[in-house]
């Protein structure tokens, strides 16, 4: 027995080693060379200087005005409230949770503009400068947000600060540290935040060094709006939440340039990108205005669609370009993003038939290929499970996994190999097989190969059919149907009684062919550090074609 156990352990360890080698290979192979170079630089060479250096500078005469809501962070009763947490900003600067620590360094609460907050906010900044020991204090991402927030704060209250003022010196030093620590190892939304902060700091201060910040910020910005915004208007990380955050940043930079008559020749292009991103959100949002939970997306982080829309309509109040001139059809496809919308009668479908993207930056990606969300009677009915944590723990892994999304899982595997908090190894590749509609119905068919291996090609195909009274999903898989599970997560407002479904004061008639089902209790993670009880329809197939149908 001992000999056999030893042989088994050796085989198992060899299996783990090979699997890890494969995982690392698929994780690293899609990285850009610039990411690898700067990962090495950041790890072994570059150091952040925490000491205040006295620089000589002046302040510019540029205007920094943004008379709209910028953040979901609230301030009242001398406490700041974000991500379902509350903190006393005069003595709480850090947390064991990295995301909370990051947020404590953003200073988003400064956007709660009110004259009575002025002295308290000033005090909080001074105490933060003198006492904050947060390990993320000088990380480039929170520094980028903090720079912009401090500048808006100083300008809104018209603070008359001398050049030797501790706040100005800290702001100047932080901008210079950021300039030397651009997040080229990550790229994506982090790099764009860096560029925005350098533009703001470069225009706020007046010196030879700040001119370098501005020049670098503008160079990154111009390149990234071409790369990060897809032709269909989507942000290339394919998270509706980060799309919304990026859009607000773009609007702020556009207004900064416009109100200051800043001389750049691509201002019309920025406006065009803003409107494209807005139209993308119009297609992606649910009828109630909320965004669907694809990839890392959560409520109460970005501004809502309605809040963004109000800003855009105010800025472009007299322009016809806001209107979307798309032809009226049941199906609207965002081909570059891989998302598809079917809006027909009382059914409103948002489906994901896209790839992990961008391949070199999958940190906010989930294994959610061929998942979908569905509204009925203009209210959310079927959903994905959402995101409530970025910590490297079991819950984070599950929330990124296929089994936490409304789709088919094969043999307890993920369609794409999500691991750690922000890693993806082998990635599923999706195909749109059919987009079809006529006067009273629409059909959408897609597939992916995420469950395939070197020795076995496994294809999951999913067909969506919608007419005025019927919503239907047909799943098929060419191998191993008996190892599969299909899950449909129901919104918490959906009620279950004796395995019957009730929604919007109506009994929902549904049928399932090709599998046995059970309705279980589950959790819906619609906000960070928060969950609500909901239900899940779990189907165990008994053949390779499984039909789920709703009739109303």
């Amino acid at each position: 027995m001992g000999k056999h156990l030893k042989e088994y352990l050796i085989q198992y360890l060899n299996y783990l080693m090979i699997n890890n080698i494969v995982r690392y290979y698929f994780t690293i192979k899609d990285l850009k060379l610039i990411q690898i170079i700067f990962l090495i630089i950041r790890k072994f060479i570059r150091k952040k200087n925490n000491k205040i250096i006295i620089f000589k500078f002046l302040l510019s005469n540029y205007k920094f005005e943004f008379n709209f809501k910028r953040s979901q962070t609230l301030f009242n009763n001398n406490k700041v409230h974000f991500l379902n947490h509350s903190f006393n900003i005069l003595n709480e600067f850090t947390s064991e949770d990295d995301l909370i620590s990051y947020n404590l360094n953003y200073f988003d609460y400064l956007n709660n503009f009110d004259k009575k907050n002025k002295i308290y906010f000033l005090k909080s900044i001074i105490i933060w400068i003198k006492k904050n020991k947060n390990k993320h204090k000088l990380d480039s991402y929170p520094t980028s947000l903090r720079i912009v927030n401090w500048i808006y704060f100083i300008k809104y209250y018209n603070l008359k600060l001398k050049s030797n003022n501790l706040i100005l010196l800290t702001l100047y030093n932080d901008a210079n540290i950021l300039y030397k620590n651009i997040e080229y190892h990550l790229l994506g939304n982090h790099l764009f935040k860096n560029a925005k902060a350098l533009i703001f700091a470069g225009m706020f201060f007046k010196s030879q060094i700040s001119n370098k910040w501005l020049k670098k910020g503008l160079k990154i910005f111009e390149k990234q709006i071409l790369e990060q915004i897809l032709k269909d208007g989507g942000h290339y990380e394919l998270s509706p939440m980060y799309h919304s955050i990026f859009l607000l940043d773009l609007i702020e930079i556009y207004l900064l340039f416009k109100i200051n008559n800043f001389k750049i020749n691509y201002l019309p292009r920025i406006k065009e990108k803003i409107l494209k991103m807005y139209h993308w959100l119009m297609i992606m949002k649910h009828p109630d205005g909320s965004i669907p939970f694809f990839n890392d997306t959560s409520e109460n982080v970005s501004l809502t669609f309605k809040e963004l829309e109000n800003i855009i309509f105010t800025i472009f109040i007299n322009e016809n370009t806001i209107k979307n001139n798309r032809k009226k059809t049941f199906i609207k496809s965002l081909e570059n993003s891989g998302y598809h919308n079917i809006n027909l009668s009382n059914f409103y479908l948002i489906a994901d038939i896209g790839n992990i993207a961008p391949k070199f930056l999958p940190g906010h990606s989930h294994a959610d290929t061929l998942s979908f969300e569905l509204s009925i009677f203009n209210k959310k009915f079927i959903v994905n499970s959402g995101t409530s944590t970025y910590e490297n723990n079991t819950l984070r892994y599950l929330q990124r996994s296929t089994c936490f999304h409304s789709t088919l899982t094969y043999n307890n595997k993920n369609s794409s190999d999500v691991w750690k908090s922000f890693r993806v190894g082998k990635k599923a590749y999706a195909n749109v097989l059919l987009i079809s509609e006529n006067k009273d119905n629409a059909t959408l068919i897609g597939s992916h190969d995420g469950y395939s291996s070197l020795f076995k090609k496994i294809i999951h195909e999913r067909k969506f059919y919608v007419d005025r009274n019927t919503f239907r999903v047909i799943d098929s898989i060419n191998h191993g149907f008996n190892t599969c599970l299909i899950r449909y997560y129901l919104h918490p407002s959906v009620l279950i009684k004796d395995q019957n479904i009730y929604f919007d004061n109506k009994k929902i008639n549904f049928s399932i062919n090709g599998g046995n089902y059970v309705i279980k209790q589950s959790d819906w993670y619609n906000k960070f550090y928060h969950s609500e009880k909901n239900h899940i329809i779990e189907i165990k197939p008994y053949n390779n074609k499984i039909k789920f149908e709703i009739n109303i």
Side-chain angles (χ1 to χ4, degrees), residues 246-269:
F246 189 101
L247 174 55
L248 180 62
D249 287 334
L250 196 59
I251 292 169
E252 289 182 41
I253 296 169
Y254 173 81
L255 282 180
L256 178 64
F257 290 159
K258 189 173 182 181
I259 64 177
N260 289 293
N261 295 314
F262 193 77
K263 292 182 180 180
I264 55 168
N265 58 13
Y266 53 89
L267 195 65
R269 189 194 308 156

PDB file of all heavy atoms in Angstrom, residues 246-269:
ATOM      1  N   PHE A 246     -14.043  54.829 -17.577  1.00  0.00           N
ATOM      2  CA  PHE A 246     -13.215  55.364 -18.656  1.00  0.00           C
ATOM      3  C   PHE A 246     -13.942  56.505 -19.362  1.00  0.00           C
ATOM      4  O   PHE A 246     -13.346  57.538 -19.682  1.00  0.00           O
ATOM      5  CB  PHE A 246     -12.887  54.233 -19.638  1.00  0.00           C
ATOM      6  CG  PHE A 246     -11.860  54.582 -20.685  1.00  0.00           C
ATOM      7  CD1 PHE A 246     -10.545  54.168 -20.545  1.00  0.00           C
ATOM      8  CD2 PHE A 246     -12.207  55.303 -21.820  1.00  0.00           C
ATOM      9  CE1 PHE A 246      -9.590  54.473 -21.517  1.00  0.00           C
ATOM     10  CE2 PHE A 246     -11.269  55.616 -22.792  1.00  0.00           C
ATOM     11  CZ  PHE A 246      -9.954  55.199 -22.638  1.00  0.00           C
ATOM     12  N   LEU A 247     -15.233  56.327 -19.602  1.00  0.00           N
ATOM     13  CA  LEU A 247     -16.028  57.347 -20.292  1.00  0.00           C
ATOM     14  C   LEU A 247     -16.032  58.652 -19.493  1.00  0.00           C
ATOM     15  O   LEU A 247     -15.888  59.743 -20.064  1.00  0.00           O
ATOM     16  CB  LEU A 247     -17.453  56.835 -20.509  1.00  0.00           C
ATOM     17  CG  LEU A 247     -18.464  57.829 -21.104  1.00  0.00           C
ATOM     18  CD1 LEU A 247     -17.962  58.414 -22.420  1.00  0.00           C
ATOM     19  CD2 LEU A 247     -19.818  57.143 -21.311  1.00  0.00           C
ATOM     20  N   LEU A 248     -16.210  58.566 -18.175  1.00  0.00           N
ATOM     21  CA  LEU A 248     -16.197  59.773 -17.355  1.00  0.00           C
ATOM     22  C   LEU A 248     -14.831  60.463 -17.426  1.00  0.00           C
ATOM     23  O   LEU A 248     -14.758  61.696 -17.530  1.00  0.00           O
ATOM     24  CB  LEU A 248     -16.542  59.432 -15.902  1.00  0.00           C
ATOM     25  CG  LEU A 248     -16.560  60.623 -14.929  1.00  0.00           C
ATOM     26  CD1 LEU A 248     -17.621  61.643 -15.327  1.00  0.00           C
ATOM     27  CD2 LEU A 248     -16.784  60.155 -13.499  1.00  0.00           C
ATOM     28  N   ASP A 249     -13.751  59.686 -17.377  1.00  0.00           N
ATOM     29  CA  ASP A 249     -12.409  60.272 -17.511  1.00  0.00           C
ATOM     30  C   ASP A 249     -12.269  61.007 -18.840  1.00  0.00           C
ATOM     31  O   ASP A 249     -11.701  62.105 -18.907  1.00  0.00           O
ATOM     32  CB  ASP A 249     -11.341  59.177 -17.422  1.00  0.00           C
ATOM     33  CG  ASP A 249     -11.159  58.644 -16.012  1.00  0.00           C
ATOM     34  OD1 ASP A 249     -11.453  59.386 -15.050  1.00  0.00           O
ATOM     35  OD2 ASP A 249     -10.748  57.480 -15.873  1.00  0.00           O
ATOM     36  N   LEU A 250     -12.758  60.397 -19.892  1.00  0.00           N
ATOM     37  CA  LEU A 250     -12.666  60.992 -21.228  1.00  0.00           C
ATOM     38  C   LEU A 250     -13.442  62.309 -21.278  1.00  0.00           C
ATOM     39  O   LEU A 250     -12.970  63.299 -21.856  1.00  0.00           O
ATOM     40  CB  LEU A 250     -13.208  59.999 -22.259  1.00  0.00           C
ATOM     41  CG  LEU A 250     -12.873  60.254 -23.724  1.00  0.00           C
ATOM     42  CD1 LEU A 250     -11.367  60.263 -23.942  1.00  0.00           C
ATOM     43  CD2 LEU A 250     -13.527  59.196 -24.609  1.00  0.00           C
ATOM     44  N   ILE A 251     -14.617  62.336 -20.687  1.00  0.00           N
ATOM     45  CA  ILE A 251     -15.432  63.554 -20.641  1.00  0.00           C
ATOM     46  C   ILE A 251     -14.692  64.663 -19.882  1.00  0.00           C
ATOM     47  O   ILE A 251     -14.667  65.826 -20.326  1.00  0.00           O
ATOM     48  CB  ILE A 251     -16.797  63.272 -19.981  1.00  0.00           C
ATOM     49  CG1 ILE A 251     -17.645  62.361 -20.861  1.00  0.00           C
ATOM     50  CG2 ILE A 251     -17.550  64.576 -19.710  1.00  0.00           C
ATOM     51  CD1 ILE A 251     -18.888  61.821 -20.161  1.00  0.00           C
ATOM     52  N   GLU A 252     -14.088  64.322 -18.739  1.00  0.00           N
ATOM     53  CA  GLU A 252     -13.378  65.320 -17.939  1.00  0.00           C
ATOM     54  C   GLU A 252     -12.202  65.924 -18.707  1.00  0.00           C
ATOM     55  O   GLU A 252     -11.969  67.142 -18.670  1.00  0.00           O
ATOM     56  CB  GLU A 252     -12.886  64.701 -16.638  1.00  0.00           C
ATOM     57  CG  GLU A 252     -13.998  64.389 -15.645  1.00  0.00           C
ATOM     58  CD  GLU A 252     -13.461  63.826 -14.336  1.00  0.00           C
ATOM     59  OE1 GLU A 252     -12.425  64.327 -13.858  1.00  0.00           O
ATOM     60  OE2 GLU A 252     -14.061  62.882 -13.799  1.00  0.00           O
ATOM     61  N   ILE A 253     -11.441  65.075 -19.400  1.00  0.00           N
ATOM     62  CA  ILE A 253     -10.298  65.570 -20.179  1.00  0.00           C
ATOM     63  C   ILE A 253     -10.788  66.441 -21.327  1.00  0.00           C
ATOM     64  O   ILE A 253     -10.209  67.504 -21.612  1.00  0.00           O
ATOM     65  CB  ILE A 253      -9.443  64.395 -20.687  1.00  0.00           C
ATOM     66  CG1 ILE A 253      -8.820  63.645 -19.506  1.00  0.00           C
ATOM     67  CG2 ILE A 253      -8.344  64.891 -21.624  1.00  0.00           C
ATOM     68  CD1 ILE A 253      -8.168  62.323 -19.875  1.00  0.00           C
ATOM     69  N   TYR A 254     -11.854  66.031 -21.981  1.00  0.00           N
ATOM     70  CA  TYR A 254     -12.440  66.816 -23.074  1.00  0.00           C
ATOM     71  C   TYR A 254     -12.837  68.206 -22.587  1.00  0.00           C
ATOM     72  O   TYR A 254     -12.521  69.215 -23.229  1.00  0.00           O
ATOM     73  CB  TYR A 254     -13.661  66.079 -23.640  1.00  0.00           C
ATOM     74  CG  TYR A 254     -14.440  66.878 -24.664  1.00  0.00           C
ATOM     75  CD1 TYR A 254     -14.023  66.939 -25.987  1.00  0.00           C
ATOM     76  CD2 TYR A 254     -15.598  67.564 -24.301  1.00  0.00           C
ATOM     77  CE1 TYR A 254     -14.727  67.678 -26.932  1.00  0.00           C
ATOM     78  CE2 TYR A 254     -16.312  68.301 -25.231  1.00  0.00           C
ATOM     79  CZ  TYR A 254     -15.875  68.351 -26.541  1.00  0.00           C
ATOM     80  OH  TYR A 254     -16.579  69.089 -27.462  1.00  0.00           O
ATOM     81  N   LEU A 255     -13.520  68.280 -21.440  1.00  0.00           N
ATOM     82  CA  LEU A 255     -13.954  69.579 -20.916  1.00  0.00           C
ATOM     83  C   LEU A 255     -12.763  70.438 -20.493  1.00  0.00           C
ATOM     84  O   LEU A 255     -12.773  71.659 -20.677  1.00  0.00           O
ATOM     85  CB  LEU A 255     -14.890  69.378 -19.732  1.00  0.00           C
ATOM     86  CG  LEU A 255     -16.329  68.992 -20.073  1.00  0.00           C
ATOM     87  CD1 LEU A 255     -17.150  68.811 -18.799  1.00  0.00           C
ATOM     88  CD2 LEU A 255     -16.985  70.023 -20.969  1.00  0.00           C
ATOM     89  N   LEU A 256     -11.728  69.802 -19.907  1.00  0.00           N
ATOM     90  CA  LEU A 256     -10.533  70.537 -19.518  1.00  0.00           C
ATOM     91  C   LEU A 256      -9.907  71.213 -20.734  1.00  0.00           C
ATOM     92  O   LEU A 256      -9.532  72.398 -20.685  1.00  0.00           O
ATOM     93  CB  LEU A 256      -9.537  69.587 -18.856  1.00  0.00           C
ATOM     94  CG  LEU A 256      -8.202  70.190 -18.417  1.00  0.00           C
ATOM     95  CD1 LEU A 256      -8.411  71.232 -17.320  1.00  0.00           C
ATOM     96  CD2 LEU A 256      -7.249  69.095 -17.942  1.00  0.00           C
ATOM     97  N   PHE A 257      -9.796  70.484 -21.816  1.00  0.00           N
ATOM     98  CA  PHE A 257      -9.231  71.048 -23.045  1.00  0.00           C
ATOM     99  C   PHE A 257     -10.145  72.143 -23.615  1.00  0.00           C
ATOM    100  O   PHE A 257      -9.677  73.203 -24.034  1.00  0.00           O
ATOM    101  CB  PHE A 257      -9.036  69.955 -24.094  1.00  0.00           C
ATOM    102  CG  PHE A 257      -7.942  68.972 -23.772  1.00  0.00           C
ATOM    103  CD1 PHE A 257      -7.930  67.717 -24.369  1.00  0.00           C
ATOM    104  CD2 PHE A 257      -6.928  69.293 -22.885  1.00  0.00           C
ATOM    105  CE1 PHE A 257      -6.922  66.804 -24.087  1.00  0.00           C
ATOM    106  CE2 PHE A 257      -5.921  68.381 -22.587  1.00  0.00           C
ATOM    107  CZ  PHE A 257      -5.920  67.141 -23.202  1.00  0.00           C
ATOM    108  N   LYS A 258     -11.433  71.888 -23.609  1.00  0.00           N
ATOM    109  CA  LYS A 258     -12.375  72.802 -24.265  1.00  0.00           C
ATOM    110  C   LYS A 258     -12.488  74.135 -23.539  1.00  0.00           C
ATOM    111  O   LYS A 258     -12.430  75.197 -24.174  1.00  0.00           O
ATOM    112  CB  LYS A 258     -13.749  72.133 -24.365  1.00  0.00           C
ATOM    113  CG  LYS A 258     -14.734  72.923 -25.239  1.00  0.00           C
ATOM    114  CD  LYS A 258     -16.024  72.155 -25.453  1.00  0.00           C
ATOM    115  CE  LYS A 258     -16.950  72.956 -26.378  1.00  0.00           C
ATOM    116  NZ  LYS A 258     -18.233  72.274 -26.592  1.00  0.00           N
ATOM    117  N   ILE A 259     -12.671  74.111 -22.200  1.00  0.00           N
ATOM    118  CA  ILE A 259     -12.882  75.370 -21.479  1.00  0.00           C
ATOM    119  C   ILE A 259     -11.612  76.214 -21.431  1.00  0.00           C
ATOM    120  O   ILE A 259     -11.676  77.432 -21.215  1.00  0.00           O
ATOM    121  CB  ILE A 259     -13.403  75.133 -20.038  1.00  0.00           C
ATOM    122  CG1 ILE A 259     -12.379  74.380 -19.187  1.00  0.00           C
ATOM    123  CG2 ILE A 259     -14.732  74.417 -20.064  1.00  0.00           C
ATOM    124  CD1 ILE A 259     -12.806  74.186 -17.739  1.00  0.00           C
ATOM    125  N   ASN A 260     -10.460  75.589 -21.658  1.00  0.00           N
ATOM    126  CA  ASN A 260      -9.196  76.324 -21.653  1.00  0.00           C
ATOM    127  C   ASN A 260      -8.689  76.623 -23.062  1.00  0.00           C
ATOM    128  O   ASN A 260      -7.584  77.167 -23.211  1.00  0.00           O
ATOM    129  CB  ASN A 260      -8.130  75.546 -20.882  1.00  0.00           C
ATOM    130  CG  ASN A 260      -8.394  75.541 -19.392  1.00  0.00           C
ATOM    131  OD1 ASN A 260      -8.324  76.577 -18.737  1.00  0.00           O
ATOM    132  ND2 ASN A 260      -8.730  74.375 -18.847  1.00  0.00           N
ATOM    133  N   ASN A 261      -9.497  76.289 -24.087  1.00  0.00           N
ATOM    134  CA  ASN A 261      -9.075  76.477 -25.476  1.00  0.00           C
ATOM    135  C   ASN A 261      -7.672  75.905 -25.707  1.00  0.00           C
ATOM    136  O   ASN A 261      -6.826  76.517 -26.365  1.00  0.00           O
ATOM    137  CB  ASN A 261      -9.104  77.967 -25.852  1.00  0.00           C
ATOM    138  CG  ASN A 261     -10.506  78.533 -25.837  1.00  0.00           C
ATOM    139  OD1 ASN A 261     -11.434  77.923 -26.378  1.00  0.00           O
ATOM    140  ND2 ASN A 261     -10.677  79.697 -25.205  1.00  0.00           N
ATOM    141  N   PHE A 262      -7.468  74.718 -25.120  1.00  0.00           N
ATOM    142  CA  PHE A 262      -6.167  74.073 -25.207  1.00  0.00           C
ATOM    143  C   PHE A 262      -5.910  73.640 -26.639  1.00  0.00           C
ATOM    144  O   PHE A 262      -6.779  73.037 -27.285  1.00  0.00           O
ATOM    145  CB  PHE A 262      -6.118  72.871 -24.260  1.00  0.00           C
ATOM    146  CG  PHE A 262      -4.751  72.328 -24.031  1.00  0.00           C
ATOM    147  CD1 PHE A 262      -3.865  72.965 -23.178  1.00  0.00           C
ATOM    148  CD2 PHE A 262      -4.335  71.162 -24.662  1.00  0.00           C
ATOM    149  CE1 PHE A 262      -2.587  72.453 -22.953  1.00  0.00           C
ATOM    150  CE2 PHE A 262      -3.068  70.652 -24.451  1.00  0.00           C
ATOM    151  CZ  PHE A 262      -2.184  71.297 -23.590  1.00  0.00           C
ATOM    152  N   LYS A 263      -4.722  73.943 -27.141  1.00  0.00           N
ATOM    153  CA  LYS A 263      -4.435  73.714 -28.552  1.00  0.00           C
ATOM    154  C   LYS A 263      -4.027  72.274 -28.821  1.00  0.00           C
ATOM    155  O   LYS A 263      -2.872  71.886 -28.685  1.00  0.00           O
ATOM    156  CB  LYS A 263      -3.340  74.677 -29.012  1.00  0.00           C
ATOM    157  CG  LYS A 263      -3.792  76.130 -29.035  1.00  0.00           C
ATOM    158  CD  LYS A 263      -2.699  77.046 -29.552  1.00  0.00           C
ATOM    159  CE  LYS A 263      -3.167  78.494 -29.567  1.00  0.00           C
ATOM    160  NZ  LYS A 263      -2.109  79.409 -30.060  1.00  0.00           N
ATOM    161  N   ILE A 264      -5.014  71.476 -29.190  1.00  0.00           N
ATOM    162  CA  ILE A 264      -4.761  70.137 -29.712  1.00  0.00           C
ATOM    163  C   ILE A 264      -5.637  69.974 -30.952  1.00  0.00           C
ATOM    164  O   ILE A 264      -6.725  70.543 -31.035  1.00  0.00           O
ATOM    165  CB  ILE A 264      -5.082  69.029 -28.685  1.00  0.00           C
ATOM    166  CG1 ILE A 264      -6.514  69.156 -28.167  1.00  0.00           C
ATOM    167  CG2 ILE A 264      -4.090  69.020 -27.543  1.00  0.00           C
ATOM    168  CD1 ILE A 264      -6.979  67.958 -27.399  1.00  0.00           C
ATOM    169  N   ASN A 265      -5.166  69.209 -31.904  1.00  0.00           N
ATOM    170  CA  ASN A 265      -5.907  69.105 -33.169  1.00  0.00           C
ATOM    171  C   ASN A 265      -6.870  67.928 -33.208  1.00  0.00           C
ATOM    172  O   ASN A 265      -7.496  67.672 -34.228  1.00  0.00           O
ATOM    173  CB  ASN A 265      -4.933  69.017 -34.356  1.00  0.00           C
ATOM    174  CG  ASN A 265      -3.977  67.842 -34.236  1.00  0.00           C
ATOM    175  OD1 ASN A 265      -4.172  66.950 -33.402  1.00  0.00           O
ATOM    176  ND2 ASN A 265      -2.922  67.840 -35.046  1.00  0.00           N
ATOM    177  N   TYR A 266      -6.999  67.200 -32.063  1.00  0.00           N
ATOM    178  CA  TYR A 266      -7.872  66.026 -32.089  1.00  0.00           C
ATOM    179  C   TYR A 266      -9.035  66.141 -31.112  1.00  0.00           C
ATOM    180  O   TYR A 266      -9.605  65.134 -30.695  1.00  0.00           O
ATOM    181  CB  TYR A 266      -7.056  64.752 -31.831  1.00  0.00           C
ATOM    182  CG  TYR A 266      -6.206  64.750 -30.583  1.00  0.00           C
ATOM    183  CD1 TYR A 266      -6.717  64.318 -29.367  1.00  0.00           C
ATOM    184  CD2 TYR A 266      -4.879  65.168 -30.636  1.00  0.00           C
ATOM    185  CE1 TYR A 266      -5.931  64.297 -28.216  1.00  0.00           C
ATOM    186  CE2 TYR A 266      -4.083  65.161 -29.497  1.00  0.00           C
ATOM    187  CZ  TYR A 266      -4.612  64.725 -28.292  1.00  0.00           C
ATOM    188  OH  TYR A 266      -3.844  64.704 -27.161  1.00  0.00           O
ATOM    189  N   LEU A 267      -9.426  67.369 -30.750  1.00  0.00           N
ATOM    190  CA  LEU A 267     -10.583  67.545 -29.870  1.00  0.00           C
ATOM    191  C   LEU A 267     -11.863  66.957 -30.473  1.00  0.00           C
ATOM    192  O   LEU A 267     -12.634  66.296 -29.762  1.00  0.00           O
ATOM    193  CB  LEU A 267     -10.777  69.024 -29.537  1.00  0.00           C
ATOM    194  CG  LEU A 267     -11.708  69.321 -28.350  1.00  0.00           C
ATOM    195  CD1 LEU A 267     -11.127  68.785 -27.051  1.00  0.00           C
ATOM    196  CD2 LEU A 267     -11.972  70.824 -28.231  1.00  0.00           C
ATOM    197  N   PRO A 268     -12.131  67.149 -31.783  1.00  0.00           N
ATOM    198  CA  PRO A 268     -13.329  66.517 -32.377  1.00  0.00           C
ATOM    199  C   PRO A 268     -13.306  64.990 -32.270  1.00  0.00           C
ATOM    200  O   PRO A 268     -14.346  64.356 -32.113  1.00  0.00           O
ATOM    201  CB  PRO A 268     -13.282  66.969 -33.837  1.00  0.00           C
ATOM    202  CG  PRO A 268     -12.482  68.224 -33.823  1.00  0.00           C
ATOM    203  CD  PRO A 268     -11.450  68.017 -32.755  1.00  0.00           C
ATOM    204  N   ARG A 269     -12.086  64.403 -32.327  1.00  0.00           N
ATOM    205  CA  ARG A 269     -11.982  62.951 -32.211  1.00  0.00           C
ATOM    206  C   ARG A 269     -12.365  62.491 -30.803  1.00  0.00           C
ATOM    207  O   ARG A 269     -12.993  61.447 -30.625  1.00  0.00           O
ATOM    208  CB  ARG A 269     -10.560  62.502 -32.531  1.00  0.00           C
ATOM    209  CG  ARG A 269     -10.412  60.979 -32.656  1.00  0.00           C
ATOM    210  CD  ARG A 269      -8.959  60.542 -32.624  1.00  0.00           C
ATOM    211  NE  ARG A 269      -8.155  61.260 -33.588  1.00  0.00           N
ATOM    212  CZ  ARG A 269      -6.841  61.430 -33.483  1.00  0.00           C
ATOM    213  NH1 ARG A 269      -6.189  60.931 -32.443  1.00  0.00           N
ATOM    214  NH2 ARG A 269      -6.168  62.098 -34.392  1.00  0.00           N
TER     215      ARG A 269
END
